[in-house]
PDB file of all heavy atoms in Angstrom:
ATOM      1  N   THR A 281     161.034  13.221 -25.778  1.00 98.00           N
ATOM      2  CA  THR A 281     161.972  13.528 -24.683  1.00 98.00           C
ATOM      3  C   THR A 281     162.896  12.339 -24.428  1.00 98.00           C
ATOM      4  O   THR A 281     164.128  12.494 -24.360  1.00 98.00           O
ATOM      5  CB  THR A 281     161.188  13.849 -23.391  1.00 98.00           C
ATOM      6  OG1 THR A 281     160.262  14.894 -23.658  1.00 98.00           O
ATOM      7  CG2 THR A 281     162.119  14.254 -22.261  1.00 98.00           C
ATOM      8  N   MET A 282     162.307  11.141 -24.332  1.00 98.00           N
ATOM      9  CA  MET A 282     163.151   9.959 -24.008  1.00 98.00           C
ATOM     10  C   MET A 282     164.082   9.632 -25.171  1.00 98.00           C
ATOM     11  O   MET A 282     165.240   9.255 -24.967  1.00 98.00           O
ATOM     12  CB  MET A 282     162.253   8.760 -23.665  1.00 98.00           C
ATOM     13  CG  MET A 282     163.019   7.660 -22.944  1.00 98.00           C
ATOM     14  SD  MET A 282     163.700   8.250 -21.367  1.00 98.00           S
ATOM     15  CE  MET A 282     165.386   7.623 -21.465  1.00 98.00           C
ATOM     16  N   LYS A 283     163.598   9.839 -26.407  1.00 98.00           N
ATOM     17  CA  LYS A 283     164.458   9.585 -27.592  1.00 98.00           C
ATOM     18  C   LYS A 283     165.658  10.534 -27.569  1.00 98.00           C
ATOM     19  O   LYS A 283     166.792  10.145 -27.841  1.00 98.00           O
ATOM     20  CB  LYS A 283     163.624   9.795 -28.865  1.00 98.00           C
ATOM     21  CG  LYS A 283     164.367   9.535 -30.151  1.00 98.00           C
ATOM     22  CD  LYS A 283     163.431   9.739 -31.354  1.00 98.00           C
ATOM     23  CE  LYS A 283     164.176   9.617 -32.680  1.00 98.00           C
ATOM     24  NZ  LYS A 283     163.265   9.842 -33.853  1.00 98.00           N
ATOM     25  N   HIS A 284     165.417  11.781 -27.197  1.00 98.00           N
ATOM     26  CA  HIS A 284     166.503  12.791 -27.104  1.00 98.00           C
ATOM     27  C   HIS A 284     167.564  12.308 -26.122  1.00 98.00           C
ATOM     28  O   HIS A 284     168.774  12.358 -26.413  1.00 98.00           O
ATOM     29  CB  HIS A 284     165.888  14.122 -26.655  1.00 98.00           C
ATOM     30  CG  HIS A 284     166.880  15.171 -26.292  1.00 98.00           C
ATOM     31  ND1 HIS A 284     167.672  15.805 -27.231  1.00 98.00           N
ATOM     32  CD2 HIS A 284     167.249  15.681 -25.078  1.00 98.00           C
ATOM     33  CE1 HIS A 284     168.463  16.669 -26.619  1.00 98.00           C
ATOM     34  NE2 HIS A 284     168.226  16.610 -25.321  1.00 98.00           N
ATOM     35  N   TYR A 285     167.131  11.805 -24.982  1.00 98.00           N
ATOM     36  CA  TYR A 285     168.110  11.363 -23.973  1.00 98.00           C
ATOM     37  C   TYR A 285     168.770  10.043 -24.385  1.00 98.00           C
ATOM     38  O   TYR A 285     169.926   9.786 -24.049  1.00 98.00           O
ATOM     39  CB  TYR A 285     167.456  11.264 -22.588  1.00 98.00           C
ATOM     40  CG  TYR A 285     167.375  12.623 -21.929  1.00 98.00           C
ATOM     41  CD1 TYR A 285     166.231  13.416 -22.070  1.00 98.00           C
ATOM     42  CD2 TYR A 285     168.452  13.148 -21.241  1.00 98.00           C
ATOM     43  CE1 TYR A 285     166.181  14.687 -21.534  1.00 98.00           C
ATOM     44  CE2 TYR A 285     168.412  14.415 -20.681  1.00 98.00           C
ATOM     45  CZ  TYR A 285     167.281  15.189 -20.836  1.00 98.00           C
ATOM     46  OH  TYR A 285     167.233  16.464 -20.311  1.00 98.00           O
ATOM     47  N   MET A 286     168.060   9.209 -25.147  1.00 98.00           N
ATOM     48  CA  MET A 286     168.684   7.976 -25.667  1.00 98.00           C
ATOM     49  C   MET A 286     169.851   8.360 -26.580  1.00 98.00           C
ATOM     50  O   MET A 286     170.956   7.817 -26.459  1.00 98.00           O
ATOM     51  CB  MET A 286     167.653   7.159 -26.454  1.00 98.00           C
ATOM     52  CG  MET A 286     168.243   5.942 -27.127  1.00 98.00           C
ATOM     53  SD  MET A 286     167.093   5.146 -28.275  1.00 98.00           S
ATOM     54  CE  MET A 286     167.058   6.362 -29.595  1.00 98.00           C
ATOM     55  N   PHE A 287     169.633   9.347 -27.442  1.00 98.00           N
ATOM     56  CA  PHE A 287     170.707   9.778 -28.350  1.00 98.00           C
ATOM     57  C   PHE A 287     171.858  10.414 -27.573  1.00 98.00           C
ATOM     58  O   PHE A 287     173.024  10.254 -27.904  1.00 98.00           O
ATOM     59  CB  PHE A 287     170.151  10.751 -29.403  1.00 98.00           C
ATOM     60  CG  PHE A 287     169.528  10.050 -30.581  1.00 98.00           C
ATOM     61  CD1 PHE A 287     168.161   9.844 -30.637  1.00 98.00           C
ATOM     62  CD2 PHE A 287     170.323   9.549 -31.608  1.00 98.00           C
ATOM     63  CE1 PHE A 287     167.588   9.173 -31.710  1.00 98.00           C
ATOM     64  CE2 PHE A 287     169.748   8.883 -32.699  1.00 98.00           C
ATOM     65  CZ  PHE A 287     168.384   8.694 -32.750  1.00 98.00           C
ATOM     66  N   LYS A 288     171.515  11.155 -26.505  1.00 98.00           N
ATOM     67  CA  LYS A 288     172.580  11.794 -25.691  1.00 98.00           C
ATOM     68  C   LYS A 288     173.455  10.719 -25.042  1.00 98.00           C
ATOM     69  O   LYS A 288     174.689  10.802 -25.050  1.00 98.00           O
ATOM     70  CB  LYS A 288     171.962  12.668 -24.582  1.00 98.00           C
ATOM     71  CG  LYS A 288     171.486  14.025 -25.062  1.00 98.00           C
ATOM     72  CD  LYS A 288     170.987  14.879 -23.909  1.00 98.00           C
ATOM     73  CE  LYS A 288     172.149  15.636 -23.262  1.00 98.00           C
ATOM     74  NZ  LYS A 288     171.674  16.788 -22.439  1.00 98.00           N
ATOM     75  N   VAL A 289     172.822   9.687 -24.508  1.00 98.00           N
ATOM     76  CA  VAL A 289     173.573   8.592 -23.854  1.00 98.00           C
ATOM     77  C   VAL A 289     174.430   7.868 -24.898  1.00 98.00           C
ATOM     78  O   VAL A 289     175.610   7.588 -24.670  1.00 98.00           O
ATOM     79  CB  VAL A 289     172.601   7.614 -23.166  1.00 98.00           C
ATOM     80  CG1 VAL A 289     173.303   6.328 -22.749  1.00 98.00           C
ATOM     81  CG2 VAL A 289     171.953   8.270 -21.949  1.00 98.00           C
ATOM     82  N   ALA A 290     173.855   7.634 -26.088  1.00 98.00           N
ATOM     83  CA  ALA A 290     174.596   6.931 -27.148  1.00 98.00           C
ATOM     84  C   ALA A 290     175.823   7.730 -27.556  1.00 98.00           C
ATOM     85  O   ALA A 290     176.921   7.188 -27.722  1.00 98.00           O
ATOM     86  CB  ALA A 290     173.689   6.716 -28.352  1.00 98.00           C
ATOM     87  N   LYS A 291     175.660   9.038 -27.661  1.00 97.00           N
ATOM     88  CA  LYS A 291     176.804   9.903 -28.067  1.00 97.00           C
ATOM     89  C   LYS A 291     177.870   9.892 -26.974  1.00 97.00           C
ATOM     90  O   LYS A 291     179.059   9.728 -27.232  1.00 97.00           O
ATOM     91  CB  LYS A 291     176.279  11.324 -28.300  1.00 97.00           C
ATOM     92  CG  LYS A 291     177.267  12.266 -28.980  1.00 97.00           C
ATOM     93  CD  LYS A 291     176.531  13.448 -29.645  1.00 97.00           C
ATOM     94  CE  LYS A 291     177.499  14.377 -30.395  1.00 97.00           C
ATOM     95  NZ  LYS A 291     178.264  15.253 -29.530  1.00 97.00           N
ATOM     96  N   LEU A 292     177.434  10.003 -25.756  1.00 98.00           N
ATOM     97  CA  LEU A 292     178.367  10.048 -24.619  1.00 98.00           C
ATOM     98  C   LEU A 292     179.174   8.753 -24.525  1.00 98.00           C
ATOM     99  O   LEU A 292     180.369   8.758 -24.279  1.00 98.00           O
ATOM    100  CB  LEU A 292     177.547  10.249 -23.328  1.00 98.00           C
ATOM    101  CG  LEU A 292     178.318  10.520 -22.067  1.00 98.00           C
ATOM    102  CD1 LEU A 292     178.804  11.964 -22.030  1.00 98.00           C
ATOM    103  CD2 LEU A 292     177.439  10.236 -20.848  1.00 98.00           C
ATOM    104  N   LEU A 293     178.477   7.639 -24.753  1.00 97.00           N
ATOM    105  CA  LEU A 293     179.136   6.328 -24.600  1.00 97.00           C
ATOM    106  C   LEU A 293     179.651   5.785 -25.922  1.00 97.00           C
ATOM    107  O   LEU A 293     180.124   4.657 -26.009  1.00 97.00           O
ATOM    108  CB  LEU A 293     178.149   5.329 -23.967  1.00 97.00           C
ATOM    109  CG  LEU A 293     177.590   5.719 -22.590  1.00 97.00           C
ATOM    110  CD1 LEU A 293     176.552   4.696 -22.116  1.00 97.00           C
ATOM    111  CD2 LEU A 293     178.707   5.867 -21.566  1.00 97.00           C
ATOM    112  N   ASN A 294     179.482   6.607 -26.983  1.00 95.00           N
ATOM    113  CA  ASN A 294     179.956   6.223 -28.316  1.00 95.00           C
ATOM    114  C   ASN A 294     179.369   4.868 -28.752  1.00 95.00           C
ATOM    115  O   ASN A 294     180.077   3.959 -29.193  1.00 95.00           O
ATOM    116  CB  ASN A 294     181.497   6.148 -28.298  1.00 95.00           C
ATOM    117  CG  ASN A 294     182.046   6.136 -29.712  1.00 95.00           C
ATOM    118  OD1 ASN A 294     181.360   6.563 -30.661  1.00 95.00           O
ATOM    119  ND2 ASN A 294     183.243   5.620 -29.862  1.00 95.00           N
ATOM    120  N   LYS A 295     178.063   4.732 -28.536  1.00 95.00           N
ATOM    121  CA  LYS A 295     177.362   3.484 -28.902  1.00 95.00           C
ATOM    122  C   LYS A 295     176.198   3.844 -29.817  1.00 95.00           C
ATOM    123  O   LYS A 295     175.078   4.047 -29.371  1.00 95.00           O
ATOM    124  CB  LYS A 295     176.813   2.790 -27.641  1.00 95.00           C
ATOM    125  CG  LYS A 295     177.868   2.279 -26.694  1.00 95.00           C
ATOM    126  CD  LYS A 295     177.214   1.590 -25.481  1.00 95.00           C
ATOM    127  CE  LYS A 295     178.277   1.003 -24.548  1.00 95.00           C
ATOM    128  NZ  LYS A 295     177.694   0.425 -23.333  1.00 95.00           N
TER     129      LYS A 295
END
Side-chain angles (χ1 to χ4, degrees):
T281 305
M282 197 61 227
K283 181 179 175 181
H284 170 71
Y285 279 93
M286 175 190 71
F287 276 97
K288 281 184 86 162
V289 168
K291 191 159 183 283
L292 188 77
L293 301 176
N294 196 21
K295 294 181 177 176

